[in-house]
Amino acid sequence: MHIIINLQPLLTPLTGIGHYTRELTLALLAQPPEAGVTVEGITGRKREPLSLDHPLLQTQSGASIGASERDSPAWQLARRYLRNPLTRKLYRWMCTQRLQLTVGQQDALYWEPNYILLPWRGRSVVTVHDLSHERYPAFHPQERVRFFSQHLPESLARATRINVVSQFTADELQALHGIDPKRIDIVPPAVSSRFFVAPEGQQPQQLRHRYQLPERFLLSVGTLEPRKNLVNVLEAFAALPLKEQADSPLLLVGMQGWGEQTYSQRVQHAFQRGTIRRLGYVPSDDLPGLYALAAGFVYVSLYEGFGMPVVEAMAAGTPVLTANTTATTEVAAGAALEVSPHDVDAIREGLHRLVADSHDQRIKAGVTRAREFTWEASAERLLGSFTQALHSA
């Protein structure tokens, strides 16, 4: 089986799709020789055989273009290049030329981990992470909605098989696109083993010093964009008694996404007091320690196809407050506090419980749930999907 992977998600600082692409690519490369799996990657620049030591597959993926820091000029250039409609079209054309070199190879299969297939006449598998652009188009830039609306239906029609990250997303594909469930395979993301290891030695103190962490704090991780529901979450936090805010400030980790957020005066005062604080983009190596040091984790998104930070926080032994809708309730499986993402009062009460209640049983259940998600199991599912694609009629 010869697998060709579009590596575009690895060319900028890794968010959910980038981590998913990298970890599953590494798992494919780790298959024993007798499995007969070979892997190539394509970018707009070149197409090449992949190995475990490829620069784009290292812990700080994208480091070869300076992406370990979100303000890197090289990263900013790549981000603009891949988001601009004209240059992205050129990039897709360049990738297509490299992809077409394999046309006619009988055991070749193209895996697109990021929604939209490149033109390709062979067998293919496409991964769809969520359909938020259809359910909540206002939560995305108009150009992104146009691009997905134009290309996703055709991509779904051409794909030999379709992968999703949750049953929720599988249900969405059936509801919104009428996809036959027999064409869909669930291949969830997983939790790296490093999230289960408590910080030790000098690391906790180094993290506290590096990010000026208070003794006790709540943590939120995710790109700062409308879908993450930060307006409601911050409004709910700012409505807590001042002592509760001061005792457990809310720290926001994540790159600035699209769209300007408008906050109430109460929330702005919390920013000024420092009871709400932005840490910005954090290197992935620091995330396990930040999760573990947090008194609680807050992730009350309006829409998620999976919600990876929920599982990462549970793996680190941190109690979680999340939404009782879309995929996060499926992923948490009863191991987290759940509230309506639309109800500010409910979120405020959830935040209060997060800092006031005892969570021993919830933490234990969260760690157990998180251990169900492994990259080895996901890679086995992915290879099963590839095999079905190669042998389908």
Side-chain angles (χ1 to χ4, degrees):
M1 182 187 302
H2 184 67
I3 304 163
I4 310 155
I5 305 172
N6 184 357
L7 298 179
Q8 179 181 333
L10 306 186
L11 297 179
T12 56
L14 300 193
T15 53
I17 295 176
H19 284 291
Y20 183 87
T21 303
R22 178 174 72 91
E23 294 294 344
L24 282 176
T25 300
L26 288 170
L28 292 173
L29 290 168
Q31 297 299 305
E34 57 268 26
V37 175
T38 58
V39 186
E40 280 190 292
I42 55 172
T43 65
R45 189 163 60 92
K46 58 183 175 180
R47 170 181 159 184
E48 60 186 332
L50 295 180
S51 61
L52 291 169
D53 60 355
H54 191 282
L56 286 178
L57 298 175
Q58 302 313 300
T59 301
Q60 291 293 344
S61 293
S64 60
I65 60 167
S68 61
E69 297 296 335
R70 76 174 173 88
D71 292 326
S72 160
W75 176 77
Q76 295 287 355
L77 178 62
R79 193 181 189 209
R80 284 198 304 271
Y81 179 79
L82 293 174
R83 285 191 171 188
N84 181 282
L86 293 178
T87 51
R88 185 173 60 210
K89 185 175 181 179
L90 174 61
Y91 177 90
R92 285 176 57 79
W93 178 84
M94 294 168 66
C95 285
T96 299
Q97 302 313 300
R98 286 149 180 78
L99 180 61
Q100 297 299 349
L101 295 174
T102 316
V103 169
Q105 186 171 332
Q106 291 300 310
D107 68 341
L109 181 138
Y110 158 43
W111 175 38
E112 176 52 67
N114 194 14
Y115 291 92
I116 309 299
L117 288 171
L118 297 166
W120 163 256
R121 295 192 296 274
R123 303 301 174 95
S124 62
V125 172
V126 65
T127 299
V128 176
H129 300 266
D130 67 67
L131 293 173
S132 58
H133 72 283
E134 295 186 47
R135 291 295 192 189
Y136 292 97
F139 291 171
H140 295 273
Q142 291 184 4
E143 188 279 325
R144 182 189 301 168
V145 174
R146 284 195 298 269
F147 179 79
F148 273 59
S149 297
Q150 178 182 355
H151 295 286
L152 184 59
E154 189 258 348
S155 186
L156 295 173
R158 280 198 295 118
T160 313
R161 295 200 67 78
I162 301 167
N163 287 179
V164 295
V165 294
S166 64
Q167 183 61 52
F168 169 76
T169 301
D171 294 342
E172 288 283 83
L173 275 176
Q174 294 171 57
L176 295 173
H177 289 273
I179 301 296
D180 184 345
K182 293 179 181 178
R183 293 181 60 212
I184 301 174
D185 300 308
I186 299 175
V187 182
V191 191
S192 170
S193 59
R194 62 198 180 94
F195 287 95
F196 292 93
V197 179
E200 57 184 8
Q202 295 297 312
Q203 189 192 18
Q205 198 57 37
Q206 290 170 350
L207 287 173
R208 288 191 183 278
H209 177 74
R210 184 177 306 142
Y211 297 106
Q212 296 297 295
L213 301 178
E215 186 62 30
R216 180 179 171 86
F217 62 93
L218 299 179
L219 183 69
S220 175
V221 174
T223 304
L224 306 181
E225 61 183 27
R227 181 163 59 96
K228 301 304 180 183
N229 200 32
L230 281 175
V231 170
N232 282 351
V233 169
L234 299 190
E235 191 64 39
F237 181 84
L240 290 170
L242 292 179
K243 186 177 187 309
E244 286 190 31
Q245 295 183 49
D247 288 346
S248 302
L250 176 59
L251 308 186
L252 310 176
V253 167
M255 297 182 294
Q256 181 62 50
W258 84 279
E260 293 296 326
Q261 310 294 309
T262 301
Y263 301 121
S264 70
Q265 189 174 55
R266 181 164 60 183
V267 171
Q268 293 177 44
H269 286 164
F271 274 113
Q272 292 165 6
R273 285 192 305 269
T275 54
I276 300 175
R277 183 156 60 92
R278 294 187 181 94
L279 298 187
Y281 176 77
V282 167
S284 61
D285 285 349
D286 288 349
L287 280 177
L290 288 174
Y291 279 124
L293 290 172
F297 181 69
V298 185
Y299 199 79
V300 192
S301 293
L302 291 165
Y303 187 104
E304 290 290 336
F306 187 83
M308 196 66 229
V310 170
V311 189
E312 291 172 345
M314 292 194 301
T318 301
V320 173
L321 174 68
T322 192
N324 62 2
T325 59
T326 71
T328 51
T329 188
E330 172 189 338
V331 169
L337 288 168
E338 297 183 14
V339 295
S340 167
H342 304 283
D343 188 336
V344 172
D345 289 338
I347 299 172
R348 178 184 53 76
E349 178 59 26
L351 290 166
H352 170 74
R353 291 185 60 193
L354 196 59
V355 298
D357 289 2
S358 172
H359 299 285
D360 291 346
Q361 289 301 114
R362 189 168 284 115
I363 288 171
K364 187 181 299 184
V367 173
T368 299
R369 174 60 172 163
R371 290 195 185 281
E372 297 177 18
F373 297 98
T374 69
W375 289 116
E376 292 79 12
S378 293
E380 186 175 338
R381 290 188 178 205
L382 185 64
L383 281 170
S385 183
F386 289 170
T387 301
Q388 288 191 67
L390 286 172
H391 293 91
S392 63

